[in-house]
Amino acid sequence: MKKSQSILAALAISIVLGGGALYAPVHADDLDDQVSDLQGQIDSSRLEQENWEQVIQDVSAKLKSIQADLDAATAKLKSIQAQQAQINAQIEQTKVDIAKAEAYLKTRQAVLNRRVRAIYMHGQLNYLEVILGANSFSDFANRLELLKRVIHSDYSLILEIQKQKAAIEAKKAQLEADKKQLDALAAEAEKTQKEIAAKKAEQQKVLDAAKNNKAAAAQMERDLNSQLDQVRSLIQQRLAAAEAARQAAQQQQSSSDDGGGGGGGSDDGYVQGTGSLGWPCSGPITSPFGYRTHPIFGTTIFHAGIDIGVDYGTPIHAADSGTVVYAGWISGYGNAVIIDHGGGLSTLYGHNQSLAVGEGQSVSKGQVVAYAGSTGNSTGPHCHFEVDVNGSPVNPMGYL
């Protein structure tokens, strides 16, 4: 679309303003300026879309990496939660063990308290009385053994109580350590979750903004193309008016020649084509007519012609006789030649290394008009051949 619009602008200026006295001057400079300005804005919007698309791809890659980190953190969190459940179960079991130990300790403590109270109330004479009250030596020995056992039992009970106290204190300390570890694990898990969630949310905002900006740029491109279509329609109207004026001038000149009896037909400086187009050069078609992925920008755009692969310096021939209405630099096309063949038919030859004709020059079919190159938006030497009918690009294959 962009290329056909450039051709239209060039045709409008060259045909309407370059026809000399044969055509009434129509102000096309303003339309050309509008076309150039709109094309520049379209290029900018496309470039902006490409930039935002790159941002989208970069951020999407980051989000993919963040998601992998989030998955790993989730797995770690599940592991921590499993540890938390295990520790909680241990804590609950420890509480049960402590409760049992405390109950047992209270029971043994009551026994010891009673024994101590009895010793306190009766003093050591109780033991002497037990020993001295024996009736015989055998009774004395039995009583002494019994007394030893009682004393030993008292002593063992004291040791057991002390051991139970130490065990309870150790259980309490372990419980506190487990609780502290549990709190630390929970805090770490929560911190990890918040950090990754914040990072993901931040990148998601960037992604959403990039998508919105790309969509805005795309909408701008559509709006600009709509405006460009309006300018293009106006250019076509002026082209039609210029063609009508040219034909009227030819008829007037023909009538004048017939009236003068010369019959030779004077040259009005504008060559009409035969209507049959020939190939501008020989080579393979490297890019057909229609929508394609641009080899430089990587975006899907409309290709208004065909690309013929040739070497640098290959002669480029006029597809038909006609008048050169533009020979110079066109944005994107590089060095280009536009030939008007009359009847609303024109051809364009782009990306040339050098040009062999100038504006206003009449050319014959097969005449060398340029030499192939790779100027403008091009990845290598080739001839971009374009056919336009009434200002709209058509498939050249239908005319070759």
Side-chain angles (χ1 to χ4, degrees):
M1 181 181 293
K2 175 181 176 182
K3 295 183 177 180
S4 64
Q5 292 159 351
S6 297
I7 295 174
L8 289 172
L11 286 173
I13 297 172
S14 300
I15 295 175
V16 178
L17 297 182
L22 294 176
Y23 315 114
V26 182
H27 299 292
D29 288 339
D30 58 334
L31 296 182
D32 179 54
D33 291 341
Q34 291 183 47
V35 168
S36 298
D37 180 62
L38 289 171
Q39 286 177 343
Q41 293 183 59
I42 290 174
D43 290 342
S44 297
S45 66
R46 286 179 178 173
L47 180 59
E48 184 177 357
Q49 292 178 65
E50 293 168 6
N51 291 337
W52 284 119
E53 177 60 28
Q54 186 61 50
V55 173
I56 291 172
Q57 293 178 6
D58 292 343
V59 175
S60 296
K62 289 181 180 179
L63 279 174
K64 185 177 181 180
S65 177
I66 291 174
Q67 186 61 49
D69 293 340
L70 185 58
D71 292 341
T74 301
K76 183 177 180 181
L77 178 59
K78 288 182 178 179
S79 176
I80 292 174
Q81 289 173 340
Q83 294 178 43
Q84 288 177 321
Q86 184 178 4
I87 290 174
N88 284 331
Q90 292 176 355
I91 290 174
E92 292 302 320
Q93 185 60 45
T94 302
K95 289 180 179 179
V96 173
D97 293 342
I98 290 175
K100 289 181 179 180
E102 286 180 343
Y104 178 68
L105 180 60
K106 287 180 180 179
T107 301
R108 300 309 299 253
Q109 184 71 48
V111 173
L112 180 61
N113 288 342
R114 286 196 299 270
R115 181 124 13 227
V116 171
R117 182 171 179 274
I119 293 173
Y120 173 76
M121 292 179 64
H122 300 286
Q124 295 297 327
L125 293 178
N126 273 341
Y127 297 99
L128 293 176
E129 290 176 356
V130 171
I131 295 174
L132 296 177
N135 298 324
S136 63
F137 180 79
S138 175
D139 185 27
F140 171 80
N142 289 335
R143 291 191 177 199
L144 181 62
E145 181 62 28
L146 180 60
L147 182 60
K148 287 181 180 180
R149 290 182 180 182
V150 171
I151 295 174
H152 179 72
S153 176
D154 290 341
Y155 180 72
S156 297
L157 182 58
I158 292 174
L159 292 179
E160 184 178 353
I161 292 174
Q162 291 177 345
K163 183 178 180 180
Q164 289 292 335
K165 284 185 176 181
I168 292 174
E169 291 175 355
K171 285 285 186 178
K172 288 183 177 179
Q174 183 63 44
L175 181 61
E176 292 175 356
D178 290 345
K179 182 63 170 61
K180 185 176 181 181
Q181 181 182 6
L182 180 63
D183 293 343
L185 290 173
E188 180 181 355
E190 185 177 359
K191 180 180 179 181
T192 302
Q193 275 188 318
K194 288 183 178 179
E195 288 178 350
I196 296 179
K199 185 183 295 185
K200 182 177 180 180
E202 180 182 355
Q203 291 299 317
Q204 188 63 48
K205 287 182 180 179
V206 175
L207 180 62
D208 292 341
K211 288 181 178 179
N212 291 336
N213 289 333
K214 181 185 176 183
Q219 182 61 49
M220 179 179 292
E221 181 183 356
R222 289 191 290 270
D223 294 342
L224 290 170
N225 278 321
S226 177
Q227 296 178 34
L228 201 52
D229 287 341
Q230 297 176 10
V231 176
R232 176 180 174 181
S233 176
L234 185 56
I235 290 177
Q236 290 177 347
Q237 294 175 17
R238 294 187 179 181
L239 280 172
E243 176 66 15
R246 184 185 67 80
Q247 291 180 0
Q250 285 183 336
Q251 291 177 0
Q252 182 180 2
Q253 184 65 38
S254 177
S255 299
S256 175
D257 290 342
D258 292 343
S266 63
D267 185 7
D268 63 359
Y270 198 96
V271 178
Q272 187 80 11
T274 64
S276 175
L277 302 183
W279 285 83
C281 57
S282 297
I285 297 178
T286 58
S287 182
F289 175 87
Y291 285 94
R292 66 169 184 173
T293 300
H294 196 282
I296 296 178
F297 304 119
T299 56
T300 300
I301 61 174
F302 182 74
H303 188 222
I306 60 174
D307 290 343
I308 305 172
V310 291
D311 293 330
Y312 286 101
T314 299
I316 304 300
H317 306 273
D320 196 3
S321 56
T323 301
V324 178
V325 295
Y326 188 84
W329 186 272
I330 299 178
S331 176
Y333 288 88
N335 292 320
V337 173
I338 302 175
I339 301 175
D340 182 14
H341 305 290
L345 181 67
S346 63
T347 54
L348 179 145
Y349 314 79
H351 305 303
N352 300 291
Q353 184 175 3
S354 60
L355 306 180
V357 294
E359 293 182 18
Q361 181 177 339
S362 299
V363 295
S364 58
K365 185 175 183 177
Q367 179 177 337
V368 176
V369 295
Y371 296 93
S374 184
T375 56
N377 294 336
S378 171
T379 58
H382 69 282
C383 172
H384 172 84
F385 180 58
E386 188 170 318
V387 177
D388 285 77
V389 177
N390 295 324
S392 298
V394 295
N395 193 343
M397 302 304 296
Y399 291 80
L400 295 172

